[in-house]
Amino acid sequence: MLSRVVETFLAAPFDRLRVVVSSKDAPDLPQDPRVEIVENEKRREGMASSIRRGLTDMSADTEMVAIALGDLPFVRVETLQRLVDTMKSKKAGIVYPVYKGRAGHPVLWHARFFGELAALRGDRGAKEVLERHR
């Protein structure tokens, strides 16, 4: 399943893909120089620890990140393209798909939110930041 998600993101307009895993024994993922596998050694601290790990050592010129769950294999490349286009054209800070009136994944975050995301704790992921800035 994770391999399919990675393939979808590689086909989308992203420069780099950082895959946060619970151990270095990650599943067999597509070989691509844009894919970086990082281990979350603090995984027991909850989902927020994976977000913090993914943001660690981010390039200073990174404009946005997409936070996606590895168990959502049906996200389409077209959806990702539309999210990126929306982020860029509307100068939006947070962009996510909506399906049947409900917020979905992945969520794109402008760099101005990296500090808040890096401060997250617990197992709610980035939902509290999203709710604060809806």
Side-chain angles (χ1 to χ4, degrees):
M1 186 174 351
L2 180 58
S3 183
R4 180 178 169 129
V5 173
V6 168
E7 288 173 2
T8 301
F9 273 79
L10 288 172
F14 295 104
D15 298 331
R16 188 169 59 163
L17 181 60
R18 185 172 285 175
V19 181
V20 180
V21 296
S22 59
S23 75
K24 280 290 187 181
D25 298 327
D28 189 29
L29 297 177
Q31 296 297 310
D32 188 292
R34 295 173 292 166
V35 176
E36 177 186 6
I37 299 171
V38 295
E39 181 179 2
N40 179 11
E41 295 171 349
K42 297 183 178 185
R43 61 191 165 274
R44 289 183 182 87
E45 294 179 14
M47 190 181 302
S49 68
S50 290
I51 294 170
R52 290 192 315 269
R53 180 63 182 103
L55 291 171
T56 301
D57 301 325
M58 190 68 65
S59 172
D61 63 346
T62 301
E63 297 175 19
M64 72 177 91
V65 297
I67 297 178
L69 303 173
D71 61 354
L72 295 174
F74 300 113
V75 173
R76 297 182 352 219
V77 173
E78 296 81 12
T79 301
L80 297 173
Q81 180 67 56
R82 195 162 169 202
L83 292 171
V84 169
D85 291 347
T86 299
M87 174 72 82
K88 289 179 177 180
S89 69
K90 303 212 185 250
K91 306 283 190 234
I94 304 170
V95 179
Y96 53 88
V98 175
Y99 181 73
K100 294 187 178 182
R102 297 186 56 173
H105 287 272
V107 178
L108 270 62
W109 300 87
H110 186 273
R112 69 178 174 258
F113 293 101
F114 292 177
E116 282 186 74
L117 294 169
L120 290 169
R121 298 288 181 261
D123 207 32
R124 284 193 70 210
K127 192 171 187 175
E128 66 184 60
V129 179
L130 181 62
E131 290 171 353
R132 246 191 327 268
H133 299 284
R134 210 174 273 278

Short mmCIF file of all heavy atoms in Angstrom, two decimals, residues 23-83:
data_model
loop_
_atom_site.label_atom_id
_atom_site.label_comp_id
_atom_site.label_asym_id
_atom_site.label_seq_id
_atom_site.Cartn_x
_atom_site.Cartn_y
_atom_site.Cartn_z
N SER A 23 10.58 1.91 11.33
CA SER A 23 11.91 1.30 11.43
C SER A 23 12.56 1.35 10.06
O SER A 23 11.89 1.50 9.04
CB SER A 23 11.82 -0.15 11.91
OG SER A 23 11.34 -0.99 10.88
N LYS A 24 13.88 1.24 10.03
CA LYS A 24 14.60 1.31 8.75
C LYS A 24 14.27 0.13 7.84
O LYS A 24 14.60 0.12 6.67
CB LYS A 24 16.12 1.36 9.00
CG LYS A 24 16.59 2.73 9.39
CD LYS A 24 16.52 3.68 8.23
CE LYS A 24 17.17 5.00 8.59
NZ LYS A 24 17.11 5.96 7.55
N ASP A 25 13.59 -0.88 8.39
CA ASP A 25 13.17 -2.02 7.59
C ASP A 25 11.90 -1.67 6.84
O ASP A 25 10.87 -2.33 6.97
CB ASP A 25 12.95 -3.25 8.47
CG ASP A 25 14.22 -3.69 9.17
OD1 ASP A 25 15.30 -3.53 8.57
OD2 ASP A 25 14.13 -4.18 10.30
N ALA A 26 11.97 -0.61 6.07
CA ALA A 26 10.81 -0.12 5.33
C ALA A 26 10.46 -1.11 4.22
O ALA A 26 11.32 -1.85 3.73
CB ALA A 26 11.11 1.24 4.73
N PRO A 27 9.22 -1.10 3.81
CA PRO A 27 8.83 -1.96 2.69
C PRO A 27 9.59 -1.55 1.43
O PRO A 27 10.17 -0.48 1.37
CB PRO A 27 7.33 -1.70 2.54
CG PRO A 27 7.04 -0.48 3.32
CD PRO A 27 8.13 -0.29 4.31
N ASP A 28 9.57 -2.41 0.47
CA ASP A 28 10.24 -2.15 -0.80
C ASP A 28 9.55 -0.99 -1.50
O ASP A 28 8.40 -1.10 -1.90
CB ASP A 28 10.20 -3.41 -1.66
CG ASP A 28 11.06 -3.29 -2.89
OD1 ASP A 28 12.06 -2.55 -2.85
OD2 ASP A 28 10.73 -3.94 -3.91
N LEU A 29 10.25 0.11 -1.62
CA LEU A 29 9.68 1.31 -2.23
C LEU A 29 10.35 1.57 -3.57
O LEU A 29 11.47 1.12 -3.81
CB LEU A 29 9.86 2.51 -1.31
CG LEU A 29 9.16 2.42 0.05
CD1 LEU A 29 9.48 3.64 0.89
CD2 LEU A 29 7.66 2.27 -0.12
N PRO A 30 9.67 2.32 -4.43
CA PRO A 30 10.27 2.64 -5.73
C PRO A 30 11.63 3.31 -5.57
O PRO A 30 11.81 4.15 -4.69
CB PRO A 30 9.26 3.60 -6.36
CG PRO A 30 7.98 3.33 -5.65
CD PRO A 30 8.35 2.91 -4.27
N GLN A 31 12.57 2.91 -6.39
CA GLN A 31 13.90 3.51 -6.37
C GLN A 31 13.86 4.81 -7.17
O GLN A 31 13.63 4.80 -8.37
CB GLN A 31 14.92 2.54 -6.98
CG GLN A 31 15.08 1.26 -6.20
CD GLN A 31 15.62 1.52 -4.80
OE1 GLN A 31 16.61 2.21 -4.63
NE2 GLN A 31 14.95 0.99 -3.79
N ASP A 32 14.04 5.89 -6.47
CA ASP A 32 14.00 7.20 -7.10
C ASP A 32 14.84 8.13 -6.23
O ASP A 32 14.70 8.11 -5.01
CB ASP A 32 12.55 7.69 -7.17
CG ASP A 32 12.40 8.96 -7.98
OD1 ASP A 32 12.90 10.02 -7.52
OD2 ASP A 32 11.78 8.92 -9.06
N PRO A 33 15.68 8.95 -6.82
CA PRO A 33 16.52 9.84 -6.02
C PRO A 33 15.74 10.87 -5.20
O PRO A 33 16.27 11.43 -4.26
CB PRO A 33 17.42 10.54 -7.05
CG PRO A 33 16.76 10.33 -8.36
CD PRO A 33 15.94 9.08 -8.25
N ARG A 34 14.47 11.08 -5.54
CA ARG A 34 13.65 12.02 -4.76
C ARG A 34 13.10 11.41 -3.47
O ARG A 34 12.59 12.12 -2.63
CB ARG A 34 12.48 12.53 -5.61
CG ARG A 34 12.93 13.35 -6.81
CD ARG A 34 11.75 13.67 -7.70
NE ARG A 34 11.29 12.43 -8.31
CZ ARG A 34 10.12 12.28 -8.93
NH1 ARG A 34 9.28 13.29 -9.01
NH2 ARG A 34 9.79 11.13 -9.47
N VAL A 35 13.21 10.09 -3.33
CA VAL A 35 12.66 9.41 -2.16
C VAL A 35 13.72 9.31 -1.07
O VAL A 35 14.82 8.82 -1.30
CB VAL A 35 12.16 7.99 -2.50
CG1 VAL A 35 11.68 7.26 -1.25
CG2 VAL A 35 11.03 8.07 -3.53
N GLU A 36 13.36 9.79 0.10
CA GLU A 36 14.23 9.69 1.27
C GLU A 36 13.44 8.99 2.37
O GLU A 36 12.34 9.41 2.73
CB GLU A 36 14.63 11.09 1.75
CG GLU A 36 15.46 11.09 3.00
CD GLU A 36 15.71 12.50 3.53
OE1 GLU A 36 15.15 13.47 2.99
OE2 GLU A 36 16.45 12.60 4.52
N ILE A 37 14.00 7.91 2.87
CA ILE A 37 13.35 7.17 3.95
C ILE A 37 14.02 7.56 5.26
O ILE A 37 15.24 7.49 5.39
CB ILE A 37 13.47 5.65 3.73
CG1 ILE A 37 12.78 5.27 2.41
CG2 ILE A 37 12.86 4.88 4.90
CD1 ILE A 37 13.02 3.85 1.97
N VAL A 38 13.21 8.00 6.22
CA VAL A 38 13.72 8.38 7.53
C VAL A 38 12.97 7.60 8.61
O VAL A 38 11.77 7.39 8.51
CB VAL A 38 13.64 9.90 7.79
CG1 VAL A 38 14.54 10.66 6.84
CG2 VAL A 38 12.23 10.41 7.69
N GLU A 39 13.70 7.22 9.60
CA GLU A 39 13.11 6.46 10.71
C GLU A 39 12.64 7.41 11.81
O GLU A 39 13.35 8.34 12.19
CB GLU A 39 14.13 5.48 11.28
CG GLU A 39 13.58 4.63 12.40
CD GLU A 39 14.59 3.64 12.95
OE1 GLU A 39 15.74 3.63 12.48
OE2 GLU A 39 14.22 2.88 13.85
N ASN A 40 11.45 7.15 12.31
CA ASN A 40 10.93 7.90 13.44
C ASN A 40 11.22 7.10 14.71
O ASN A 40 10.46 6.22 15.09
CB ASN A 40 9.43 8.15 13.31
CG ASN A 40 8.87 8.91 14.48
OD1 ASN A 40 9.61 9.43 15.31
ND2 ASN A 40 7.56 8.97 14.56
N GLU A 41 12.31 7.43 15.36
CA GLU A 41 12.70 6.70 16.57
C GLU A 41 11.82 7.05 17.77
O GLU A 41 11.87 6.38 18.79
CB GLU A 41 14.17 6.99 16.87
CG GLU A 41 15.09 6.45 15.78
CD GLU A 41 16.53 6.90 15.94
OE1 GLU A 41 16.81 7.79 16.76
OE2 GLU A 41 17.38 6.35 15.22
N LYS A 42 10.99 8.09 17.62
CA LYS A 42 10.11 8.50 18.72
C LYS A 42 8.66 8.16 18.42
O LYS A 42 7.74 8.80 18.93
CB LYS A 42 10.27 10.00 18.99
CG LYS A 42 11.67 10.35 19.43
CD LYS A 42 11.79 11.82 19.74
CE LYS A 42 13.21 12.11 20.22
NZ LYS A 42 13.36 13.49 20.64
N ARG A 43 8.43 7.15 17.61
CA ARG A 43 7.09 6.79 17.16
C ARG A 43 6.11 6.54 18.29
O ARG A 43 4.92 6.74 18.15
CB ARG A 43 7.14 5.60 16.23
CG ARG A 43 7.70 4.35 16.88
CD ARG A 43 7.99 3.25 15.86
NE ARG A 43 8.82 2.21 16.41
CZ ARG A 43 10.14 2.24 16.45
NH1 ARG A 43 10.79 3.28 15.98
NH2 ARG A 43 10.82 1.24 16.97
N ARG A 44 6.60 6.13 19.46
CA ARG A 44 5.72 5.86 20.59
C ARG A 44 5.10 7.14 21.16
O ARG A 44 4.17 7.08 21.94
CB ARG A 44 6.47 5.11 21.68
CG ARG A 44 6.77 3.68 21.25
CD ARG A 44 7.47 2.88 22.36
NE ARG A 44 7.77 1.54 21.92
CZ ARG A 44 8.87 1.18 21.26
NH1 ARG A 44 9.79 2.08 20.98
NH2 ARG A 44 9.06 -0.07 20.89
N GLU A 45 5.60 8.29 20.75
CA GLU A 45 5.07 9.57 21.20
C GLU A 45 3.84 10.00 20.40
O GLU A 45 3.27 11.03 20.68
CB GLU A 45 6.15 10.65 21.10
CG GLU A 45 7.31 10.43 22.05
CD GLU A 45 8.38 11.49 21.92
OE1 GLU A 45 8.12 12.55 21.29
OE2 GLU A 45 9.48 11.27 22.45
N GLY A 46 3.45 9.22 19.43
CA GLY A 46 2.24 9.52 18.66
C GLY A 46 2.51 10.07 17.27
O GLY A 46 3.65 10.25 16.86
N MET A 47 1.42 10.31 16.56
CA MET A 47 1.49 10.74 15.17
C MET A 47 2.27 12.04 14.99
O MET A 47 2.96 12.24 13.99
CB MET A 47 0.08 10.92 14.61
CG MET A 47 0.06 11.12 13.12
SD MET A 47 -1.60 11.38 12.44
CE MET A 47 -2.44 9.91 12.95
N ALA A 48 2.17 12.93 15.97
CA ALA A 48 2.88 14.21 15.86
C ALA A 48 4.38 14.00 15.74
O ALA A 48 5.07 14.79 15.09
CB ALA A 48 2.56 15.10 17.05
N SER A 49 4.89 12.93 16.34
CA SER A 49 6.34 12.68 16.25
C SER A 49 6.75 12.37 14.81
O SER A 49 7.86 12.72 14.40
CB SER A 49 6.75 11.54 17.19
OG SER A 49 6.22 10.30 16.76
N SER A 50 5.88 11.75 14.04
CA SER A 50 6.19 11.49 12.63
C SER A 50 6.20 12.78 11.83
O SER A 50 7.03 12.97 10.95
CB SER A 50 5.16 10.51 12.04
OG SER A 50 5.34 9.23 12.57
N ILE A 51 5.29 13.69 12.17
CA ILE A 51 5.27 14.99 11.49
C ILE A 51 6.55 15.76 11.81
O ILE A 51 7.21 16.29 10.92
CB ILE A 51 4.01 15.79 11.89
CG1 ILE A 51 2.76 15.09 11.36
CG2 ILE A 51 4.11 17.24 11.39
CD1 ILE A 51 1.46 15.65 11.87
N ARG A 52 6.90 15.78 13.09
CA ARG A 52 8.14 16.48 13.48
C ARG A 52 9.34 15.87 12.78
O ARG A 52 10.21 16.58 12.27
CB ARG A 52 8.33 16.42 15.00
CG ARG A 52 7.35 17.25 15.78
CD ARG A 52 7.75 17.40 17.25
NE ARG A 52 8.17 16.19 17.90
CZ ARG A 52 7.36 15.35 18.56
NH1 ARG A 52 6.06 15.60 18.65
NH2 ARG A 52 7.84 14.26 19.14
N ARG A 53 9.40 14.54 12.72
CA ARG A 53 10.53 13.86 12.08
C ARG A 53 10.60 14.21 10.59
O ARG A 53 11.66 14.44 10.03
CB ARG A 53 10.43 12.35 12.27
CG ARG A 53 11.56 11.56 11.64
CD ARG A 53 12.90 11.92 12.27
NE ARG A 53 13.99 11.21 11.65
CZ ARG A 53 14.84 11.76 10.77
NH1 ARG A 53 14.71 13.03 10.43
NH2 ARG A 53 15.81 11.05 10.25
N GLY A 54 9.45 14.26 9.96
CA GLY A 54 9.42 14.60 8.54
C GLY A 54 9.89 16.02 8.26
O GLY A 54 10.45 16.30 7.20
N LEU A 55 9.67 16.92 9.20
CA LEU A 55 10.08 18.31 9.03
C LEU A 55 11.53 18.57 9.42
O LEU A 55 12.08 19.63 9.10
CB LEU A 55 9.17 19.23 9.86
CG LEU A 55 7.72 19.33 9.39
CD1 LEU A 55 6.89 20.09 10.41
CD2 LEU A 55 7.64 19.99 8.02
N THR A 56 12.16 17.62 10.09
CA THR A 56 13.53 17.79 10.55
C THR A 56 14.47 17.98 9.36
O THR A 56 14.39 17.26 8.37
CB THR A 56 13.98 16.57 11.37
OG1 THR A 56 13.10 16.43 12.48
CG2 THR A 56 15.39 16.72 11.87
N ASP A 57 15.35 18.96 9.48
CA ASP A 57 16.35 19.23 8.45
C ASP A 57 15.75 19.58 7.08
O ASP A 57 16.35 19.29 6.05
CB ASP A 57 17.33 18.06 8.29
CG ASP A 57 18.05 17.74 9.58
OD1 ASP A 57 18.36 18.67 10.34
OD2 ASP A 57 18.30 16.54 9.84
N MET A 58 14.61 20.21 7.10
CA MET A 58 13.97 20.62 5.86
C MET A 58 14.81 21.73 5.23
O MET A 58 15.32 22.61 5.92
CB MET A 58 12.56 21.13 6.17
CG MET A 58 11.70 21.37 4.96
SD MET A 58 11.24 19.88 4.06
CE MET A 58 10.24 19.05 5.25
N SER A 59 14.96 21.69 3.94
CA SER A 59 15.72 22.71 3.23
C SER A 59 15.11 24.08 3.49
O SER A 59 13.88 24.23 3.53
CB SER A 59 15.69 22.40 1.73
OG SER A 59 16.24 23.45 1.00
N ALA A 60 15.94 25.09 3.66
CA ALA A 60 15.48 26.45 3.97
C ALA A 60 14.60 27.04 2.88
O ALA A 60 13.79 27.91 3.14
CB ALA A 60 16.68 27.35 4.23
N ASP A 61 14.74 26.54 1.65
CA ASP A 61 13.93 27.10 0.56
C ASP A 61 12.63 26.32 0.31
O ASP A 61 11.94 26.55 -0.68
CB ASP A 61 14.75 27.20 -0.72
CG ASP A 61 15.22 25.84 -1.23
OD1 ASP A 61 15.14 24.85 -0.49
OD2 ASP A 61 15.66 25.79 -2.40
N THR A 62 12.28 25.41 1.21
CA THR A 62 11.05 24.64 1.05
C THR A 62 9.85 25.57 1.23
O THR A 62 9.72 26.23 2.25
CB THR A 62 10.99 23.49 2.08
OG1 THR A 62 12.12 22.64 1.90
CG2 THR A 62 9.71 22.67 1.92
N GLU A 63 9.00 25.61 0.23
CA GLU A 63 7.84 26.50 0.24
C GLU A 63 6.61 25.86 0.86
O GLU A 63 5.77 26.54 1.44
CB GLU A 63 7.49 26.93 -1.17
CG GLU A 63 8.57 27.73 -1.85
CD GLU A 63 8.23 28.04 -3.29
OE1 GLU A 63 7.04 27.94 -3.68
OE2 GLU A 63 9.15 28.35 -4.04
N MET A 64 6.48 24.55 0.68
CA MET A 64 5.30 23.85 1.18
C MET A 64 5.63 22.38 1.39
O MET A 64 6.60 21.87 0.81
CB MET A 64 4.13 23.98 0.21
CG MET A 64 4.29 23.16 -1.06
SD MET A 64 2.90 23.24 -2.19
CE MET A 64 3.38 24.62 -3.22
N VAL A 65 4.84 21.75 2.24
CA VAL A 65 4.94 20.30 2.41
C VAL A 65 3.53 19.72 2.32
O VAL A 65 2.54 20.38 2.64
CB VAL A 65 5.59 19.87 3.74
CG1 VAL A 65 7.01 20.34 3.84
CG2 VAL A 65 4.77 20.34 4.93
N ALA A 66 3.47 18.50 1.86
CA ALA A 66 2.22 17.75 1.88
C ALA A 66 2.38 16.68 2.94
O ALA A 66 3.36 15.93 2.93
CB ALA A 66 1.95 17.11 0.52
N ILE A 67 1.45 16.64 3.86
CA ILE A 67 1.47 15.58 4.87
C ILE A 67 0.38 14.59 4.49
O ILE A 67 -0.79 14.95 4.36
CB ILE A 67 1.24 16.14 6.28
CG1 ILE A 67 2.39 17.09 6.64
CG2 ILE A 67 1.12 15.00 7.29
CD1 ILE A 67 2.26 17.75 8.00
N ALA A 68 0.81 13.36 4.27
CA ALA A 68 -0.10 12.32 3.81
C ALA A 68 0.08 11.06 4.65
O ALA A 68 1.18 10.79 5.14
CB ALA A 68 0.17 12.00 2.35
N LEU A 69 -0.98 10.33 4.78
CA LEU A 69 -0.91 9.05 5.47
C LEU A 69 -0.51 7.98 4.46
O LEU A 69 -0.91 8.02 3.30
CB LEU A 69 -2.28 8.72 6.08
CG LEU A 69 -2.82 9.78 7.04
CD1 LEU A 69 -4.24 9.43 7.47
CD2 LEU A 69 -1.91 9.90 8.25
N GLY A 70 0.26 7.02 4.92
CA GLY A 70 0.74 5.96 4.04
C GLY A 70 -0.30 4.91 3.72
O GLY A 70 -0.07 4.04 2.89
N ASP A 71 -1.45 4.99 4.37
CA ASP A 71 -2.48 3.97 4.14
C ASP A 71 -3.67 4.51 3.34
O ASP A 71 -4.80 4.06 3.50
CB ASP A 71 -2.94 3.36 5.46
CG ASP A 71 -3.58 4.37 6.40
OD1 ASP A 71 -3.57 5.57 6.10
OD2 ASP A 71 -4.08 3.93 7.45
N LEU A 72 -3.40 5.48 2.48
CA LEU A 72 -4.45 6.02 1.61
C LEU A 72 -4.03 5.85 0.15
O LEU A 72 -3.64 6.80 -0.52
CB LEU A 72 -4.68 7.51 1.92
CG LEU A 72 -5.23 7.81 3.31
CD1 LEU A 72 -5.27 9.31 3.55
CD2 LEU A 72 -6.60 7.20 3.50
N PRO A 73 -4.14 4.62 -0.36
CA PRO A 73 -3.62 4.34 -1.70
C PRO A 73 -4.45 4.86 -2.85
O PRO A 73 -4.04 4.75 -4.00
CB PRO A 73 -3.57 2.81 -1.72
CG PRO A 73 -4.69 2.41 -0.81
CD PRO A 73 -4.69 3.43 0.29
N PHE A 74 -5.62 5.44 -2.58
CA PHE A 74 -6.48 5.85 -3.68
C PHE A 74 -6.44 7.34 -3.98
O PHE A 74 -7.26 7.84 -4.74
CB PHE A 74 -7.91 5.37 -3.43
CG PHE A 74 -7.99 3.88 -3.31
CD1 PHE A 74 -8.33 3.30 -2.11
CD2 PHE A 74 -7.65 3.06 -4.38
CE1 PHE A 74 -8.37 1.92 -1.99
CE2 PHE A 74 -7.68 1.69 -4.27
CZ PHE A 74 -8.04 1.11 -3.06
N VAL A 75 -5.48 8.05 -3.38
CA VAL A 75 -5.28 9.45 -3.73
C VAL A 75 -4.78 9.49 -5.17
O VAL A 75 -3.91 8.70 -5.56
CB VAL A 75 -4.26 10.12 -2.78
CG1 VAL A 75 -3.92 11.52 -3.26
CG2 VAL A 75 -4.80 10.15 -1.36
N ARG A 76 -5.35 10.39 -5.97
CA ARG A 76 -5.00 10.45 -7.38
C ARG A 76 -3.98 11.55 -7.66
O ARG A 76 -3.96 12.58 -6.98
CB ARG A 76 -6.24 10.70 -8.22
CG ARG A 76 -7.24 9.56 -8.11
CD ARG A 76 -8.47 9.75 -8.97
NE ARG A 76 -8.54 11.06 -9.59
CZ ARG A 76 -9.65 11.75 -9.74
NH1 ARG A 76 -10.79 11.28 -9.31
NH2 ARG A 76 -9.65 12.92 -10.32
N VAL A 77 -3.16 11.35 -8.66
CA VAL A 77 -2.18 12.35 -9.08
C VAL A 77 -2.89 13.65 -9.42
O VAL A 77 -2.40 14.73 -9.07
CB VAL A 77 -1.35 11.84 -10.28
CG1 VAL A 77 -0.44 12.94 -10.82
CG2 VAL A 77 -0.55 10.62 -9.91
N GLU A 78 -4.04 13.57 -10.07
CA GLU A 78 -4.79 14.77 -10.44
C GLU A 78 -5.19 15.58 -9.20
O GLU A 78 -5.19 16.81 -9.24
CB GLU A 78 -6.05 14.39 -11.24
CG GLU A 78 -5.76 13.73 -12.57
CD GLU A 78 -5.44 12.23 -12.46
OE1 GLU A 78 -5.65 11.61 -11.40
OE2 GLU A 78 -4.96 11.67 -13.46
N THR A 79 -5.53 14.88 -8.14
CA THR A 79 -5.89 15.56 -6.89
C THR A 79 -4.68 16.30 -6.34
O THR A 79 -4.78 17.47 -5.93
CB THR A 79 -6.42 14.56 -5.85
OG1 THR A 79 -7.57 13.90 -6.39
CG2 THR A 79 -6.78 15.25 -4.55
N LEU A 80 -3.54 15.64 -6.34
CA LEU A 80 -2.31 16.27 -5.85
C LEU A 80 -1.96 17.49 -6.68
O LEU A 80 -1.59 18.54 -6.14
CB LEU A 80 -1.17 15.26 -5.83
CG LEU A 80 -1.35 14.06 -4.91
CD1 LEU A 80 -0.23 13.06 -5.12
CD2 LEU A 80 -1.45 14.49 -3.47
N GLN A 81 -2.07 17.37 -8.00
CA GLN A 81 -1.77 18.50 -8.89
C GLN A 81 -2.70 19.66 -8.59
O GLN A 81 -2.26 20.82 -8.51
CB GLN A 81 -1.92 18.08 -10.36
CG GLN A 81 -1.62 19.19 -11.34
CD GLN A 81 -0.17 19.61 -11.32
OE1 GLN A 81 0.71 18.79 -11.52
NE2 GLN A 81 0.09 20.89 -11.07
N ARG A 82 -3.95 19.38 -8.39
CA ARG A 82 -4.93 20.44 -8.10
C ARG A 82 -4.65 21.13 -6.77
O ARG A 82 -4.77 22.35 -6.64
CB ARG A 82 -6.33 19.85 -8.12
CG ARG A 82 -7.40 20.86 -8.19
CD ARG A 82 -8.69 20.24 -8.63
NE ARG A 82 -9.76 21.20 -8.44
CZ ARG A 82 -11.01 20.88 -8.33
NH1 ARG A 82 -11.38 19.62 -8.40
NH2 ARG A 82 -11.92 21.80 -8.16
N LEU A 83 -4.24 20.34 -5.78
CA LEU A 83 -3.89 20.92 -4.48
C LEU A 83 -2.70 21.86 -4.60
O LEU A 83 -2.71 22.97 -4.07
CB LEU A 83 -3.60 19.82 -3.46
CG LEU A 83 -4.79 18.95 -3.04
CD1 LEU A 83 -4.31 17.78 -2.19
CD2 LEU A 83 -5.83 19.77 -2.29
#
